[in-house]
Amino acid sequence: MPRESRFDQRATALVELRGLLGEHAMFEEALAARGWPVLDRQGRDPLPLTERRVRYLIEARFPGSRLNAVSGARQRIEVIADELLLDLQVLAVECVERDAKDLPRWHAYARTELPAQAGAAARARDRLARRCAERLGTRDTGRLITAATPQAARWLAARPLPGTPARREGVAVRRVSGTVRTSTPPVEAAGRRESARILGRLLVCAMLAMLLGARLMDVRLVQDRWSWTSLALLPVTAWYAALTALRHPHRGSRAATGTVAAGLVLFSCAAGALLARDVPDRGVAAPVLLGVLAAVAVANGLRLLVRQWSWQRVAPWLLPALIPLAFGFLPGFGTALHVMYLDAFDVDLEDVEIPRAFQFMAMLKLTACLSLWFMAPSLLGYMKHFHRHVKDRLFGNFVVLVMSIALVLVGFMGFGLLAAGAAGERAVAAADAGRTPAGYYGIDPEWVCPAPVGRLAEVPVDGGVLDPGRAYLKLGDSGGVVVLWDAEERAGLKVPLEKLRLVPVDSARTRCGADGPKG
């Protein structure tokens, strides 16, 4: 099978090759390996030791978008010349435009004729049976027909096909969605590929409208005002969706078609707004939805990269992207976030025991941060799809390499370790203000009053002096030793749990005594 058997575009090119007989043979072999046919050949036959100029009319077949496909075809032909060191010029190239019409589809069904002397009851039963056959397909013969008019469909339904049973009774046709009257004026059929492109644009408009609706509700709930940018973009999106729908051949009013497309946009906007209203945390629906759409776009870019290249060429780009995932499933990988968080309290990780479930969740977060690297090969996939990186040029590879390094640093350091350190600093600030800091992947700080079991002088304390008269922030425990953070001294105390009785309190301002909180 040819190496590039899958293709989205076809382009006819006129090229001129100057060379010996062996060079012409290498060029024709390279075309055959790619599955590119030679449509015509003009010029004198080359000799083994004499150069000849021969013009080839070839058809280039390659995957990718229709946008910039002409340039992509020219560059792919030049890649062959560069690989084989040939003196070749691309004189002219143009894409082949072929798009089969999406003709109506029909089902053939058996129709019986009543005798003239049939009674009224028999005629009523026949009308009911015929209506069920037309609407519900109760008498379908199993033949599917594609035809532009009912007359052509009836002719195809009655035509015998080899290997199919002969039918003596009459045969009629019905549309998939019901019968169509013969008097209905025909509508120009749209191309299948053009219809798919129109549906894709409408889907993009619907997703954008959902994002705008979520943004509108987020701003309304958090800031009690309207997002004027989203309000301005919404009618523009609805207008573009209406124009896109009108490009598809349709029967009926143009105004009704545009209204339905605009209504789809408004419905998607309302769905996004309802989603943002019902989420537990206000103001996060639009960012989360944007992240989901970005993840889908990155996954699609990776798919395009795999489709454009062979696995041998994709592997050098994807294997480095999979390395963070391999490290991510190593035990204790996610505890790097806990180390940065506890460093703000000047507490070591071995002093606080983290449940395995939360270690796994932290590992997933850090792995997701490292997975930002996937954006680099995804960008390369989109560049290949739009024919912007056909040749392995140094500048394109350098841009992707720099982007890869930047994404690794931003993901691992910015969104991973530094973000954990910032969360620790916010927790320290909240403790200084007397509030209870938010939890962080298994670390649940809480204010407690320490009540010594026995005499206070007999309680061993590492890191400072324990004062039972005020509250401490409990960070966790490990090996029977609890870590209490002193907000006044900004230091962590390590005390054996068996020597204390810890009583939870609401805030740091709670007065404590020897037996627990007072008042």
Side-chain angles (χ1 to χ4, degrees):
M1 182 176 292
R3 186 178 64 184
E4 295 189 6
S5 58
R6 297 179 303 176
F7 57 89
D8 302 315
Q9 308 299 329
R10 297 162 52 203
T12 303
L14 179 63
V15 302
E16 184 180 75
L17 174 60
R18 177 177 177 269
L20 302 175
L21 177 62
E23 294 174 320
H24 287 268
M26 286 192 302
F27 178 66
E28 294 176 4
E29 290 175 0
L31 295 179
R34 287 167 170 79
W36 295 3
V38 177
L39 306 179
D40 191 17
R41 177 177 173 176
Q42 301 174 356
R44 300 172 59 185
D45 292 336
L47 300 176
L49 300 178
T50 304
E51 293 183 349
R52 290 284 189 266
R53 292 183 181 271
V54 178
R55 289 187 175 182
Y56 293 89
L57 186 63
I58 64 176
E59 183 180 282
R61 301 171 179 177
F62 52 94
S65 172
R66 185 176 62 170
L67 182 65
N68 200 37
V70 174
S71 177
R74 177 187 59 80
Q75 293 185 62
R76 280 172 169 82
I77 298 172
E78 292 176 351
V79 165
I80 299 177
D82 295 341
E83 290 178 352
L84 302 179
L85 302 178
L86 300 177
D87 183 4
L88 182 140
Q89 294 292 333
V90 181
L91 303 180
V93 60
E94 186 173 355
C95 286
V96 177
E97 295 292 340
R98 293 287 188 270
D99 194 2
K101 297 297 183 181
D102 194 7
L103 298 178
R105 287 177 291 276
W106 312 76
H107 286 302
Y109 68 94
R111 185 177 62 183
T112 58
E113 297 292 342
L114 286 179
Q117 63 273 18
R123 293 182 181 277
R125 288 194 300 270
D126 181 69
R127 285 194 299 269
L128 178 61
R130 181 173 300 184
R131 185 171 295 276
C132 291
E134 294 174 348
R135 301 294 180 181
L136 303 178
T138 57
R139 293 183 178 179
D140 284 357
T141 63
R143 179 175 296 188
L144 180 64
I145 301 165
T146 302
T149 61
Q151 295 82 359
R154 283 193 293 267
W155 181 82
L156 292 172
R159 178 177 178 175
L161 296 177
T164 59
R167 299 178 178 86
R168 298 179 180 179
E169 68 274 9
V171 180
V173 294
R174 67 179 185 89
R175 286 292 300 274
V176 174
S177 57
T179 57
V180 175
R181 298 182 182 275
T182 308
S183 59
T184 303
V187 177
E188 180 185 359
R192 287 198 291 264
R193 298 179 68 183
E194 182 63 24
S195 300
R197 283 191 286 266
I198 290 175
L199 290 178
R201 296 189 187 104
L202 291 177
L203 179 61
V204 171
C205 290
M207 291 189 296
L208 178 59
M210 182 176 293
L211 182 61
L212 293 176
R215 174 62 180 170
L216 281 171
M217 186 57 67
D218 284 346
V219 174
R220 185 65 178 174
L221 292 176
V222 175
Q223 303 179 14
D224 195 20
R225 65 178 181 85
W226 294 106
S227 175
W228 297 108
T229 304
S230 301
L231 285 176
L233 289 177
L234 184 60
V236 175
T237 305
W239 172 77
Y240 178 76
L243 289 183
T244 301
L246 290 175
R247 294 183 59 185
H248 193 280
H250 59 281
R251 179 185 290 109
S253 170
R254 291 176 57 86
T257 302
T259 302
V260 171
L264 173 65
V265 171
L266 297 179
F267 176 80
S268 302
C269 179
L274 293 176
L275 177 65
R277 187 193 65 178
D278 295 336
V279 295
D281 297 331
R282 293 185 174 183
V284 300
V288 170
L289 186 58
L290 182 61
V292 172
L293 296 179
V296 172
V298 170
N300 184 61
L302 296 176
R303 180 189 67 85
L304 294 176
L305 180 62
V306 174
R307 190 172 185 272
Q308 288 275 344
W309 276 351
S310 62
W311 280 107
Q312 290 79 4
R313 302 191 67 184
V314 173
W317 287 98
L318 291 187
L319 286 180
L322 297 177
I323 290 176
L325 297 182
F327 279 112
F329 287 98
L330 292 177
F333 181 73
T335 55
L337 301 181
H338 300 102
V339 171
M340 297 299 296
Y341 180 85
L342 293 174
D343 184 68
F345 293 94
D346 197 17
V347 174
D348 296 330
L349 178 63
E350 57 267 17
D351 298 329
V352 179
E353 184 177 358
I354 308 297
R356 291 295 182 90
F358 287 100
Q359 290 185 25
F360 181 75
M361 293 175 61
M363 176 269 295
L364 291 181
K365 178 188 176 180
L366 193 55
T367 303
C369 294
L370 289 172
S371 298
L372 287 178
W373 153 259
F374 281 112
M375 294 178 62
S378 175
L379 175 63
L380 184 61
Y382 282 108
M383 292 171 64
K384 301 288 291 184
H385 181 69
F386 291 105
H387 318 288
R388 297 295 182 183
H389 197 269
V390 177
K391 299 181 180 180
D392 292 333
R393 294 178 176 175
L394 179 62
F395 178 76
N397 293 332
F398 177 75
V399 170
V400 175
L401 178 61
V402 172
M403 182 180 178
S404 304
I405 298 174
L407 287 173
V408 169
L409 294 177
V410 170
F412 185 73
M413 298 297 297
F415 294 106
L417 301 184
L418 296 181
E425 295 294 339
R426 290 193 298 270
V428 171
D432 290 338
R435 303 188 306 270
T436 302
Y440 188 81
Y441 293 101
I443 302 176
D444 295 317
E446 61 175 342
W447 293 103
V448 295
C449 283
V453 178
R455 297 175 56 187
L456 179 60
E458 297 177 353
V459 178
V461 180
D462 182 11
V465 178
L466 182 66
D467 183 6
R470 52 192 177 89
Y472 289 84
L473 186 67
K474 177 188 174 185
L475 296 177
D477 61 88
S478 177
V481 177
V482 66
V483 178
L484 303 177
W485 194 72
D486 190 345
E488 293 184 1
E489 301 295 334
R490 301 182 65 86
L493 308 181
K494 302 177 186 179
V495 186
L497 277 172
E498 61 182 10
K499 299 294 184 178
L500 289 178
R501 184 169 58 88
L502 302 178
V503 182
V505 295
D506 296 332
S507 67
R509 299 179 178 86
T510 304
R511 294 175 58 193
C512 300
D515 298 327
K518 295 181 178 180

